Amino acid sequence: MSRICQITGKKAMVGNNVSHSNRKTKRRFNPNLFNKKFYLPEEDRWVTLTVSAAGLRTINKNGLSAALKNAQEKGLIKTI
């Protein structure tokens, strides 16, 4: 499973762990992802998406079909 939100496009970032002595080592900041099933009433079927917490808020705000349409326009998902 790739760590990319299918709605917002959030993915892992790279940064530094900084110790008390100010030594820097690489680390990753992973997004807060969930595998979640959503019901599409227009097509009478369930859709499984990998979404971040921000993606869930986007779906709650705009609706599932609008969020899927925007994600498809951005190229984040191929088919619905």
Side-chain angles (χ1 to χ4, degrees):
M1 178 188 100
S2 67
R3 294 185 178 116
I4 299 175
C5 175
Q6 292 180 310
I7 298 298
T8 60
K10 287 183 178 231
K11 55 186 174 182
M13 295 174 55
V14 178
N16 286 319
N17 272 332
V18 181
S19 69
H20 181 68
S21 64
N22 208 27
R23 289 179 58 127
K24 294 165 183 74
T25 55
K26 287 295 184 186
R27 63 161 290 182
R28 287 173 56 118
F29 293 93
N30 289 320
N32 188 13
L33 293 180
F34 308 97
N35 288 325
K36 187 118 171 73
K37 283 173 124 179
F38 297 96
Y39 181 69
L40 261 177
E42 295 86 24
E43 299 179 17
D44 191 35
R45 68 184 181 107
W46 290 87
V47 177
T48 303
L49 296 173
T50 303
V51 293
S52 62
L56 286 175
R57 295 181 68 213
T58 302
I59 290 172
N60 285 338
K61 181 178 179 181
N62 300 335
L64 179 61
S65 57
L68 288 173
K69 186 177 167 225
N70 284 342
Q72 201 169 15
E73 288 171 359
K74 290 180 188 174
L76 298 172
I77 51 178
K78 302 277 189 280
T79 57
I80 299 171

